Amino acid sequence: MEGGIELGSREAFIRYWLPAVVCAGLILVGTSLPRPPSPGIPGSDKVAHLLAYAALGVLLMRAFGAERRMPAVRSAFAAVLVGGLYGVMDELHQTLVPGRYCSGLDMAADGAGLVLGAVIVVLWWKRNRRRSGIAVAQGERQTMAEPVHVDQAAFEVEVLGSDVPVMVDFWAPWCGPCHMVAPTLEQLAADYDGKAKIAKVNVDNNPDLAMKYGIRSIPALLVFKGGEVVDMLIGVQPEDVLRQKLDALV
């Protein structure tokens, strides 16, 4: 199913293939119409061929790829191949029209238009896929576990009442080393999501908590399990040391 349309169904044909068929029919009619000779026609004729076949290339790519039966590059190749064969037949049929003849320059413009249309769609698809990938990555980052900021009121629930080990970072906004260890703690919060928790306590806003746990220097990392302090680290610590502490408790 694609957009609620069954693959290979009549609805899929109308949505994806009919526009290409109509475009091909218009090209055939346009090249079959009689025209008076004019010195201004040849150049504009090549431009018309280029634009018409560029549109045909876009529609053929959509028809081949919209149902997700082909990736973009294969759809582009199929569009150029099928459109190119149609262009050759279109030029050959003009030999049957009075006053018209098979033109190699027209055929070249047809091929260039198909390639132009295919390139435009491939670049558009890649751009959309890249933007979708960025959006997905941003969504994943937003849903990743992050350190939880707790105050004195939340400390009992988030830390003392936690059913998983908690590493509590006592920090302050003015503390340079605290900012150095922050990215490591953010990574640990994501990596140990569901197994352990990273909490942060701003000592400026929660002096009573800092005093209760004897925090005299920051950053100070206290590790809690079952509501009790089981380890303490002072200063900036290497990531592998922090992982070892958590691995021993999870």
Side-chain angles (χ1 to χ4, degrees):
M1 299 288 287
E2 167 66 19
I5 297 178
E6 184 179 354
L7 303 185
S9 66
R10 179 172 177 270
E11 290 78 10
F13 172 79
I14 293 174
R15 179 172 178 177
Y16 300 128
W17 288 100
L18 187 59
V21 172
V22 171
C23 182
L26 291 174
I27 291 173
L28 183 63
V29 170
T31 56
S32 300
L33 292 175
R35 67 186 183 202
S38 169
I41 285 180
S44 61
D45 191 44
K46 307 304 175 285
V47 174
H49 274 255
L50 179 72
L51 297 178
Y53 274 83
L56 180 61
V58 169
L59 293 173
L60 284 173
M61 276 201 68
R62 182 173 183 269
F64 281 116
E67 296 184 75
R68 297 183 181 176
R69 290 178 174 176
M70 288 187 184
V73 175
R74 286 183 59 195
S75 297
F77 178 79
V80 173
L81 178 62
V82 173
L85 291 174
Y86 178 78
V88 171
M89 291 187 293
D90 178 43
E91 288 300 318
L92 291 176
H93 111 275
Q94 291 189 59
T95 60
L96 305 176
V97 180
R100 306 296 288 272
Y101 58 91
C102 180
S103 169
L105 289 177
D106 280 350
M107 200 174 298
D110 298 345
L114 288 167
V115 172
L116 175 63
V119 168
I120 289 173
V121 178
V122 168
L123 293 177
W124 179 76
W125 279 3
K126 287 186 175 181
R127 175 177 176 272
N128 278 0
R129 189 167 70 174
R130 183 170 63 251
R131 292 179 64 182
S132 297
I134 292 173
V136 169
Q138 289 175 340
E140 289 175 349
R141 285 198 296 269
Q142 291 171 355
T143 58
M144 284 194 309
E146 297 178 350
V148 55
H149 291 262
V150 297
D151 55 16
Q152 189 161 351
F155 193 86
E156 184 172 351
V157 175
E158 294 288 350
V159 178
L160 302 182
S162 176
D163 56 356
V164 297
V166 185
M167 180 174 286
V168 182
D169 173 29
F170 287 84
W171 73 291
W174 46 263
C175 169
C178 297
H179 291 288
M180 292 173 60
V181 77
T184 299
L185 295 175
E186 291 175 359
Q187 186 62 53
L188 293 176
D191 292 347
Y192 286 84
D193 185 23
K195 298 182 294 183
K197 186 187 301 182
I198 306 297
K200 297 176 73 71
V201 174
N202 185 330
V203 296
D204 288 344
N205 298 336
N206 301 278
D208 291 344
L209 279 176
M211 184 178 298
K212 178 179 179 179
Y213 290 101
I215 305 301
R216 295 182 176 84
S217 177
I218 56 175
L221 301 173
L222 272 62
V223 183
F224 289 76
K225 185 172 184 180
E228 301 293 333
V229 178
V230 296
D231 209 341
M232 174 184 282
L233 302 98
I234 304 298
V236 177
Q237 302 293 325
E239 183 176 342
D240 58 344
V241 171
L242 301 183
R243 288 185 180 275
Q244 290 173 8
K245 298 294 184 181
L246 292 175
D247 289 340
L249 297 175
V250 298

